[in-house]
Amino acid sequence: MSENAKVDVSGYSFEKAVAELESIVARLERGDVALDESISIYERGEALKKHCEALLSAAENRIEKIRLDRAGKPQGTEPLDGQ
């Protein structure tokens, strides 16, 4: 694994990680990157993708749906997915 891929992304915000991931995808799609560098930035992209997935999962776990009573007044909350 290259040094670039080893750089810790755990402190990145979701937006920063997505922006860097989009930049990596654009570079790979252009096809003007040497093979060794392509492998390096692909590994970096994998680390960023996993970080984004973890952040999204954590956000989904925090989202709650507000329950309303028959009169339409807030009664409490429940997990958004109903579990």
Side-chain angles (χ1 to χ4, degrees), residues 12-60:
Y12 282 25
S13 69
F14 179 80
E15 293 78 10
K16 181 177 180 177
V18 167
E20 186 174 340
L21 187 55
E22 288 174 345
S23 172
I24 288 170
V25 169
R27 290 182 67 196
L28 290 172
E29 285 178 343
R30 278 195 313 266
D32 59 358
V33 182
L35 179 60
D36 287 346
E37 188 177 357
S38 292
I39 293 169
S40 173
I41 63 176
Y42 180 84
E43 290 171 343
R44 176 77 174 168
E46 278 295 312
L48 290 163
K49 179 179 103 36
K50 288 178 183 176
H51 180 63
C52 288
E53 288 171 344
L55 290 174
L56 284 174
S57 179
E60 287 173 350

